Every structure is written in C-alpha cells, then in structure tokens.
Amino acid sequence: MSETTDLAEMTRRVAQREELLGRLRKILIEHLQLRREVDELDPDAPLFGSGFGLDSLDAVELVVCLETEFGLRVNDPTVLRQSFRSLNTMIDLVLGHAGPA
Amino acid sequence: MSVERELHALRTATTVTPGDHVARVKLVGVGAADLLERVSPRALFVRTGKMSHTLLLDEAARPLADVYLCCDEDDFFILAEGLTAADVVAYLRPHATDLEVTFEDLTESHAVLSLGGPYAWELLGELTTPDVIGLPYLGFFHAEAFTCFRGGKTGEYGYDLLVERDRLAGVRAQLADIGTRFDLVESTLATQDVAQLEAFFWNARRQSPVGLTPIELQLQWRVTYGRAFPGAAALAERRQTAHRRAVLLASATALEPGAPLRFGDRTIGTVLDAAFSPTRGDWVGMGIVERAVAHSGLELASGAAAVHTLSAPSINNRSLHVDPQRHCFATRATDVFPPLVRR
C-alpha cells in the first residue's frame, strides 16, 4: 500500500471514529440522561465509577442502545466489561462487529 | 527487584509500594467542606467515608495535583500527588481565611503504603476483616492500625493505607507474613509509573507541563463546569479554543518524551511521556496531538519509530475480571481470564 493510500485510510478511520464518537456521546446524554455537554465526554474517560458515574442500570441501558442503534447484540460479560470502559472502547466494539467498509 | 517482576506481580497477584510521594494532609473543623468546595474543580458530593477524585489547578488551569478528598465527618483527609503536603497547605490556606479549619500535615506522623493487584482485596481482607470485600471504590474506613482508602491508578484493585509511624513496623511485619500466601512483591514508584502509563492514568508527577489543562489531558470527568474554583476562568476560555488531546501510544521502538509525532509528513503533536512496558513487550506513551486526529487505531511516526494509537488502557486489567464472590488467589491458575495484553 502506498503512503498516499495509507494516509487516505487513516483519514477514513478518523472520520469513522469521529462519527461513532458523536453517536455514542448523544446516547449517553439523551438515553442515559448524563448531565454533561458533548465536548466534556472525553473518549478515554472512564464511563463507570468515578468517571461519568454510570451504574449497573446504565450498563443495561447501554446494552439495549447497542442493539437498537447499531444492531449489535453482545451477551458475553467479559466483552462487555472490557468494552464499556470508555467511549473509545465502545467504538472499538462497534467497529469490531461492523462488516467490511 | 526488577520492574518486570514487580509489574507482573501487580498485574497477576499483589504488590505493596511505599507511598512517600503521596502528600497527606488532614483538614480539621467545620469549615473543611466549605474550603474544598472553593478549590475543588469537581462539585464536592461526598458523605462521610467517601472520597472525591479531582485535581488542584493553578490559575492557568494547569493541573498541579491529583487529589482524593476524603470526607471524615466534619474533617477531610487529602491524599495528593504532584505537590508536597506543605505545598497543598500553602495552596489551600489563602482560601480559608474566613473559615474554621486547621491544617494537619501528616508527613512526619503517618506513612502511606499502597496495596495493588487483582488479589489486593483478599490480602487486605486477611490483614483486617473479610468485610473489606464490600468496600466500594472511592470509599474508606478506619481499621485498628491504619485508615484504608480504596482508589488505585493502575487499573488494578488499589488501597492506600495511612499508617501512624509508630505502627508501621507492625503493619509491615503482618504484611510480610500474610503476603507470602499472595506472592506479595515490594514495588517501587518507578514501577507504578509504568503501570499508570499502561493504564493511561494521568500522572501528576510526570505529565503536567505548562500549557496543558484537564481538557487536553482528558480529565474533564474530574471537573464540574459552571462552578468557581482556581483556574475556572482559564479553563472556560480554553474550552473554546482547545485543539489538542492526549492519546495512548504504543511502539516496538523506544519513544522519547518531547519527540515530535507525525501523521504522514505532517507534525501533529509530541510525545509527553513514555516507558517500556514489560507487560506488553513494547513501549507505551502518552502523546498530545491535534484533536482532529486524536483517535485510536492510527499509524503515526516519531523519528524512526512506527507508533500506533490505542484505546485506553493498553492492557486487560485482571482486576476487571476478578470477582471476589467467585475468584480467589488460590484458584487463579484454573480461573480463566482474558490475555493481559490489548493490541
């Protein structure tokens, strides 16, 4: 792959992640009633505990949102624990289950 | 003891680390909560036995210290990294002139021992009482020989023990005795620093250069906007203009703090901090890059080093998967956990 193609691919990935970040931030604010502005939701910040303070009920809501918003059904608790750490890990989860672009 | 062995113990068993670098201060008096409300960037919603994790900022909104504010009836303990206890008191005192509060610098009277690792809860249970399993994150309690604060900056179970100096030898002896059953390893601050980088957990002693604020460092979760606190005006201004963000880096080649990061032929930022991760077998670091490209999954370069960006953390912390109701140190070999390394 040429350097130009590499850069084009990287640019495409940035756009893809930025779009997903926006959608997930919206879910946190609109579905989980997180009282934060969009720009406050840093992509690597912890979602649970001391971070944005989500709890186990929010986790259930997030599972539902993943299915309704992204058609993603995840039942494995190990995967969920890892993927619900931050917005970035949630984006990884969504991209990992996405079909070829 | 090597960093590699200490990190392995932290990621799979238990460690104890002297906390000489942790500033410990007690605020005594009914004005303590009001004082902290004035200086904490985060609204102080804590009741007794609970801790708030926040920052102390300068007027330019640069984070000076990583702090736990721990409510003990009217009083508060402060555990801080990045400032000395004397500096913490000097920071607070001008905001307390009209308040009924006194400052106790606990540096000479108390030591800090930090327990860490996926089985630190079990070790602590043997040291105190099995009830400790129920201690929530950011909670604390007074035991006979120390006060125990549950925090942690490495992604593993973490407990800071605030021990009176004249009881330290006794607690050390107990730990040495019980620790043999948990492969307890004495760890150093250098190892903790690597562990924090692996976890992408901000390090106040290494990652606070002039010019960065909680916005660039992805620490806005420790801030409640709309409140008055030192640095609030600068932070509000930066919010309108911020164009950089921290990203987690990994590279097979050594990363140099201060070195430029390139995206194609364009310089997009710099390496802020880096260290070799024995857990992963490569280098991990924190970079500060243009916000427009501050995402994981990218291939960058720094000098001759190929660098890729990751979603934090860079490892699968075993503590995330060790459930005190189902797991214990004795069964660790047969319990099934995800691999430690995330790629």
Side-chain angles (χ1 to χ4, degrees):
Chain A
M1 192 182 289
S2 72
E3 194 167 302
T4 308
T5 312
D6 278 346
L7 269 178
E9 169 60 17
M10 291 299 118
T11 304
R12 187 190 67 80
R13 282 189 206 172
V14 167
Q16 192 177 33
R17 294 192 72 95
E18 192 68 43
E19 191 262 336
L20 288 172
L21 180 63
R23 288 173 69 184
L24 287 167
R25 281 169 160 169
K26 194 174 171 192
I27 286 172
L28 293 187
I29 292 169
E30 293 183 0
H31 290 257
L32 278 66
Q33 277 85 47
L34 198 59
R35 292 183 186 174
R36 294 274 190 172
E37 299 292 326
V38 167
D39 69 306
E40 295 178 49
L41 303 179
D42 293 322
D44 285 306
L47 293 177
F48 290 81
S50 67
F52 296 134
L54 302 189
D55 59 22
S56 54
L57 290 177
D58 295 316
V60 173
E61 182 67 24
L62 274 179
V63 170
V64 173
C65 287
L66 279 177
E67 185 165 358
T68 55
E69 294 286 324
F70 301 101
L72 193 58
R73 186 175 294 182
V74 184
N75 299 316
D76 184 340
T78 300
V79 172
L80 288 174
R81 267 196 292 274
Q82 291 176 177
S83 301
F84 282 3
R85 296 184 78 141
S86 69
L87 288 166
N88 256 346
T89 54
M90 288 191 70
I91 292 171
D92 291 343
L93 175 72
V94 174
L95 291 175
H97 284 75
Chain B
M1 191 72 70
S2 70
V3 168
E4 183 173 1
R5 179 162 183 253
E6 293 170 24
L7 264 177
H8 183 71
L10 177 68
R11 297 305 182 199
T12 63
T14 58
T15 57
V16 57
T17 310
D20 299 335
H21 60 288
V22 179
R24 48 270 191 198
V25 173
K26 189 170 185 185
L27 307 186
V28 178
V30 295
D34 287 341
L35 168 57
L36 294 178
E37 280 285 8
R38 292 177 184 179
V39 299
S40 169
R42 186 175 207 170
L44 193 68
F45 288 123
V46 283
R47 58 182 186 277
T48 195
K50 301 292 183 187
M51 304 150 64
S52 174
H53 195 182
T54 185
L55 306 159
L56 296 181
L57 305 179
D58 69 11
E59 289 298 342
R62 173 191 173 200
L64 302 174
D66 179 358
V67 295
Y68 292 125
L69 308 177
C70 318
C71 178
D72 193 24
E73 305 289 349
D74 284 341
D75 306 335
F76 274 80
F77 290 98
I78 299 177
L79 302 178
E81 287 192 56
L83 293 175
T84 65
D87 289 338
V88 170
V89 173
Y91 181 96
L92 296 175
R93 200 180 290 281
H95 300 278
T97 52
D98 59 332
L99 297 174
E100 190 179 322
V101 59
T102 58
F103 304 91
E104 294 181 6
D105 180 337
L106 304 179
T107 308
E108 297 300 320
S109 60
H110 291 70
V112 172
L113 290 176
S114 298
L115 304 182
Y119 300 97
W121 55 273
E122 196 176 0
L123 171 72
L124 184 64
E126 296 262 342
L127 189 65
T128 55
T129 159
D131 294 344
V132 76
I133 291 171
L135 179 67
Y137 182 61
L138 297 182
F140 71 96
F141 68 98
H142 298 289
E144 186 189 340
F146 50 78
T147 302
C148 173
F149 302 86
R150 183 174 170 195
K153 301 176 180 181
T154 65
E156 308 298 345
Y157 286 100
Y159 303 90
D160 291 327
L161 312 184
L162 183 66
V163 192
E164 286 179 39
R165 292 274 182 194
D166 58 4
R167 306 193 77 154
L168 183 60
V171 172
R172 278 287 203 176
Q174 272 187 291
L175 274 174
D177 178 36
I178 299 166
T180 57
R181 302 201 296 276
F182 296 96
D183 291 354
L184 178 66
V185 165
E186 178 98 11
S187 175
T188 60
L189 186 57
T191 297
Q192 293 297 304
D193 286 343
V194 178
Q196 277 188 231
L197 258 182
E198 289 178 340
F200 201 58
F201 200 103
W202 178 65
N203 187 325
R205 288 170 287 102
R206 292 164 60 110
Q207 299 160 359
S208 190
V210 171
L212 297 186
T213 74
I215 296 172
E216 290 83 5
L217 294 166
Q218 296 209 47
L219 295 172
Q220 292 184 93
W221 56 274
R222 301 198 208 179
V223 173
T224 309
Y225 287 106
R227 304 177 66 251
F229 52 83
L235 196 59
E237 190 179 325
R238 181 64 63 90
R239 203 172 167 192
Q240 307 305 317
T241 60
H243 63 284
R244 296 181 294 168
R245 185 164 65 211
V247 288
L248 174 59
L249 310 172
S251 175
T253 310
L255 293 171
E256 289 293 330
L261 285 163
R262 292 193 323 275
F263 181 53
D265 59 1
R266 199 160 60 84
T267 297
I268 58 160
T270 55
V271 178
L272 180 59
D273 194 7
F276 181 74
S277 161
T279 313
R280 292 175 48 86
D282 63 6
W283 285 72
V284 291
M286 178 183 285
I288 300 291
V289 304
E290 291 173 12
R291 182 171 287 245
V293 290
H295 286 282
S296 58
L298 301 188
E299 304 300 328
L300 308 179
S302 183
V307 183
H308 59 275
T309 57
L310 297 173
S311 300
S314 71
I315 57 168
N316 288 317
N317 298 109
R318 191 149 294 172
S319 294
L320 191 64
H321 305 285
V322 169
D323 177 355
Q325 308 296 335
R326 296 193 300 124
H327 303 112
C328 66
F329 187 72
T331 63
R332 70 193 184 288
T334 52
D335 292 329
V336 178
F337 300 112
L340 282 176
V341 177
R342 298 181 75 230
R343 297 292 179 193

